[in-house]
Amino acid sequence: MTASDISENQHEYADSSPDSSAAFVGAVDLVLADALTAAAVGLHEARGRDDTLRTAVQLAEKIVPGADCAGISVVERTGSVSTVAWTDETVRVIDADASYGSWDGLRSAPVMRIDDTTAWEGCGPALAAANLRSGLFLRLRGRQRSFSVLTLYARKPQAFDDRAAHIARLLAAHIGIALETAAVQEQLAEAMHTRDVIGQATGILMGRLNIDAAQAFEHLVRASQQGNVKLRDIAARIVDAATPE
């Protein structure tokens, strides 16, 4: 379900009577609930972090009223900004060039809204030059040293009202949880792979040096410490060297 679907369904219930007004509000709430449910399902079905990011920005552009394009960027405490997903190339370029201070307010508040970018000292000049006149920025769940930002832009000023900001916050909550879940799944997959590689390397050393498993693992640890190389990288080198071409 998209933002246009919401708009079309709203008109079906437009009427001047009080009862019809109540029905209209209820219908809008139901359509929004359906849209957010569909978004949650779409995020859950995404495969991996990259697919989750792509799905997230596409959903944000479609569901949040007034949005013309969307992106997700990661803001590091050091000041660097990296754009990791976008629906329009302009978003990628502008967000990647954003300064740390542009979104610093999101550390203490979950939402920043810019009604007219021509009057904004942050990325305002670049956004106005790209004909993006409104901005809505939402902090997603993040680590202690960094946080992610969902950026929404519109080509007209004052495009995002309170309702749009509310919808964006609900969607941002879904996106934040989905990204954390994807990150945990990738960490688990990496841990499983690391365990398998270390196990293979341990077995190779046991056969090659005629030692037991504990001694083989200690051998790997010493090599890691002496060479200042991660244990999994040492193990991977041993496995690669023992694998026939």
Side-chain angles (χ1 to χ4, degrees):
M1 178 161 306
T2 68
S4 61
D5 294 329
I6 294 174
S7 178
E8 289 170 3
N9 286 340
Q10 287 175 350
H11 290 305
E12 292 179 10
Y13 295 88
D15 194 299
S16 58
S17 67
D19 290 342
S20 295
S21 296
F24 167 74
V25 173
V28 170
D29 289 343
L30 287 174
V31 171
L32 174 58
D34 287 344
L36 290 173
T37 299
V41 172
L43 290 166
H44 177 73
E45 292 178 345
R47 295 181 176 274
R49 180 174 179 270
D50 291 342
D51 191 23
T52 301
L53 287 166
R54 285 191 296 269
T55 300
V57 293
Q58 291 167 1
L59 287 169
E61 180 185 286
K62 292 177 180 178
I63 291 176
V64 178
D68 290 317
C69 48
I72 293 178
S73 293
V74 178
V75 183
E76 302 290 347
R77 189 177 292 275
T78 58
S80 63
V81 177
S82 57
T83 304
V84 293
W86 55 90
T87 61
D88 186 284
E89 184 67 14
T90 302
V91 176
R92 184 192 69 79
V93 174
I94 289 176
D95 284 2
D97 289 340
S99 65
Y100 169 81
S102 297
W103 298 325
D104 193 24
L106 290 173
R107 290 194 179 277
S108 57
V111 180
M112 282 178 55
R113 183 167 64 189
I114 306 300
D115 290 332
D116 191 341
T117 57
T118 60
W120 184 37
E121 295 181 357
C123 301
L127 289 168
N131 195 32
L132 297 177
R133 296 291 303 279
S134 301
L136 187 60
F137 312 108
L138 300 101
R139 184 185 70 231
L140 302 176
R141 292 171 179 241
R143 303 184 302 276
Q144 183 177 3
R145 293 174 178 263
S146 66
F147 63 93
S148 298
V149 180
L150 172 63
T151 60
L152 296 159
Y153 297 109
R155 296 186 178 89
K156 66 177 184 178
Q158 299 180 335
F160 301 112
D161 58 14
D162 290 343
R163 180 173 179 273
H166 178 66
I167 292 172
R169 286 191 65 177
L170 294 174
L171 179 60
H174 286 294
I175 292 173
I177 293 171
L179 289 175
E180 279 194 353
T181 300
V184 169
Q185 290 174 341
E186 289 188 352
Q187 290 168 3
L188 289 174
E190 176 64 21
M192 292 291 292
H193 175 68
T194 297
R195 187 188 68 176
D196 290 344
V197 170
I198 291 175
Q200 293 177 47
T202 299
I204 292 170
L205 291 177
M206 289 172 62
R208 182 182 298 169
L209 303 178
N210 193 26
I211 55 180
D212 61 25
Q215 292 172 321
F217 184 74
E218 289 176 3
H219 187 91
L220 286 173
V221 172
R222 285 197 303 271
S224 172
Q225 294 172 340
Q226 293 170 359
N228 194 26
V229 179
K230 291 182 178 179
L231 184 62
R232 66 183 181 188
D233 293 338
I234 289 289
R237 291 176 187 177
I238 294 173
V239 172
D240 290 343
T243 301
E245 294 292 337

